[in-house]
């Protein structure tokens, strides 16, 4: 279960620079899947110092982080959903992603042109959002034309779907995202199959001036953007300087630390972007731990132990017997599974156990 994010934005907002950063940070194809699928796809590891700390205890043959896939979409312009520019033909590529990273220009540089007059992050957001709404409207029109015929036969499921479709279409018509429609769990599950862009969580990425990288709040455009998002959405905002991130991505680990120290930042913006996206999607991490491999696995908060075992392999879920679990912090403290067990930190959990972030697991199963 890897995280996938689609990057959208107007032309010349720093989207390409951010994606070049991701490409520079891409994991090796020899070690991780999907690293070289297409030119517009980049795969990076999910930053988690717990994984490195666990690996230092045992020096495994292999260390495997969780990964995040980024899909780059050509710069959208007004009218993209009707065929303007290049972005329209790429919109379909992000229907399958988990979340959208919307890059917004918050820097003043006269030598870099803008699609419109002056820098106005609120206007830019509304342009892109409108195109996403129009793209979803087209999907809903096609779906509604089919379901309304079926509903006329009296099919109960179709009647429910027809009502949901009407509510979503009215909301889109009013210029609002589909995710603002009140729906129960069953209705949300139904709508999930539509892969609507406006149902996805959004992480707004404010591309700020280099001089504001240590204090984004000093950037007036960022301030306006933050106020707008808090007031009008339930989405999240992260500030990065795409140019700085690109420079960081080209450095060695030792040089990165010195460079960031000089800038007054604690971690790369790309790391914060991934971590905030995880939080937005209610994603957590558990670990498997052994001499052959120490590995991070992504799961959704609330999943049960057998479901998490199934992320490794469906046979493990089918034949699940129990999970032997040590908290990551406890294992790092005692530095040994044996010593942690002797101190009562090993727990045996069954099929009803709700997995917790940071669990180090051995799944016992029989197929």
């Amino acid at each position: 279960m890897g995280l996938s994010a689609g990057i959208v934005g107007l032309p010349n907002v720093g989207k390409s620079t951010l994606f070049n950063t991701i490409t520079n940070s891409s994991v090796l194809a020899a070690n991780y899947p999907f690293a070289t699928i297409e030119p517009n796809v980049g795969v990076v590891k999910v930053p988690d110092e717990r994984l490195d700390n666990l690996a230092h205890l045992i020096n495994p043959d292999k260390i495997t982080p969780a990964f995040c896939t980024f899909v780059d979409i050509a710069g959208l312009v007004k009218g993209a959903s009707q065929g303007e520019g290049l972005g329209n033909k790429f919109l379909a590529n992000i229907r399958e992603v988990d979340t959208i990273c919307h890059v917004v220009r918050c820097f003043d540089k006269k030598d870099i042109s803008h699609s419109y007059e002056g820098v106005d992050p609120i206007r830019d957001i509304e342009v892109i959002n409108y195109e996403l709404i129009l793209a979803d409207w087209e999907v809903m029109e096609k779906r509604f034309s089919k379901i309304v015929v079926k509903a006329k036969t009296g099919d109960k499921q179709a009647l429910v779907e027809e009502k949901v479709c009407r509510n979503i279409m009215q909301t889109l018509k009013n210029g609002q995202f589909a995710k603002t429609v009140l729906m129960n769990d069953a209705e949300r599950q139904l709508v999930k199959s539509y892969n609507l862009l406006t149902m996805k969580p959004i992480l707004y990425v404010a591309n700020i001036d280099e001089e504001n990288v240590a204090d984004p709040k000093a950037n007036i455009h960022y301030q306006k953007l933050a106020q707008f998002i808090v007031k009008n959405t339930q989405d999240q905002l992260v500030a990065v300087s795409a140019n700085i991130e690109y420079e960081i991505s080209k450095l060695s680990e030792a040089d990165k630390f010195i460079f960031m120290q000089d800038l007054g930042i604690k971690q790369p913006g790309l790391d914060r972007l991934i971590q905030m996206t995880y939080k937005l999607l209610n994603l957590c991490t558990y670990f498997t731990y052994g001499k052959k491999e120490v590995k991070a696995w992504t799961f959704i908060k609330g999943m049960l132990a057998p479901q998490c075992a199934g992320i490794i392999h469906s046979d493990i879920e089918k034949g699940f017997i129990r999970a032997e679990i040590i908290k990551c912090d406890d294992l790092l403290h005692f530095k040994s599974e044996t010593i942690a067990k002797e101190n009562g930190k090993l727990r045996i959990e069954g099929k009803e156990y709700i997995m917790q972030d940071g669990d180090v697991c051995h799944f016992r199963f029989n197929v």
Side-chain angles (χ1 to χ4, degrees), residues 303-319:
M303 288 179 70
L304 300 177
Q307 294 174 306
C308 288
I311 294 171
I312 300 175
H313 198 287
S314 58
D315 284 348
I316 305 179
E317 181 176 5
K318 290 176 183 176

Side-chain angles (χ1 to χ4, degrees), residues 5-7 14-27 35 39-45 68-72 101 103 205 242 245-246 249-250 269-271 273-274:
I7 305 176
K15 200 166 59 66
S16 295
T17 305
L18 180 63
F19 187 73
N20 287 338
T21 300
I22 292 167
T23 303
N24 280 346
S25 303
S26 287
V27 295
N40 66 323
V41 175
V43 180
V44 294
K45 68 179 182 180
C68 178
T69 303
F70 286 92
V71 181
D72 185 34
C101 291
V103 183
V205 183
E245 292 303 311
Y246 181 64
S249 73
K250 296 190 293 183
L270 180 59
D271 288 4
L273 188 155
I274 296 171

Side-chain angles (χ1 to χ4, degrees), residues 234-249:
Q234 295 179 333
D235 298 306
Q236 300 294 317
L237 172 67
V238 61
V240 302
S241 170
N243 286 335
I244 292 295
E245 292 303 311
Y246 181 64
E247 293 301 319
I248 290 174
S249 73

Side-chain angles (χ1 to χ4, degrees), residues 4 101 151 156 271 291-292:
S4 59
C101 291
K156 292 183 179 180
D271 288 4
K291 184 59 181 173
K292 287 187 177 180

Side-chain angles (χ1 to χ4, degrees), residues 12-75:
N12 300 321
V13 297
K15 200 166 59 66
S16 295
T17 305
L18 180 63
F19 187 73
N20 287 338
T21 300
I22 292 167
T23 303
N24 280 346
S25 303
S26 287
V27 295
L28 296 175
N31 292 330
Y32 309 107
F34 316 123
T36 56
I37 304 175
E38 297 175 22
N40 66 323
V41 175
V43 180
V44 294
K45 68 179 182 180
V46 175
D48 195 329
E49 63 179 12
R50 297 174 300 180
L51 178 68
D52 297 326
N53 292 336
L54 286 171
H56 287 155
L57 296 181
I58 199 172
N59 294 318
D61 298 334
K62 188 178 181 181
I63 305 170
T64 307
F67 61 88
C68 178
T69 303
F70 286 92
V71 181
D72 185 34
I73 308 303

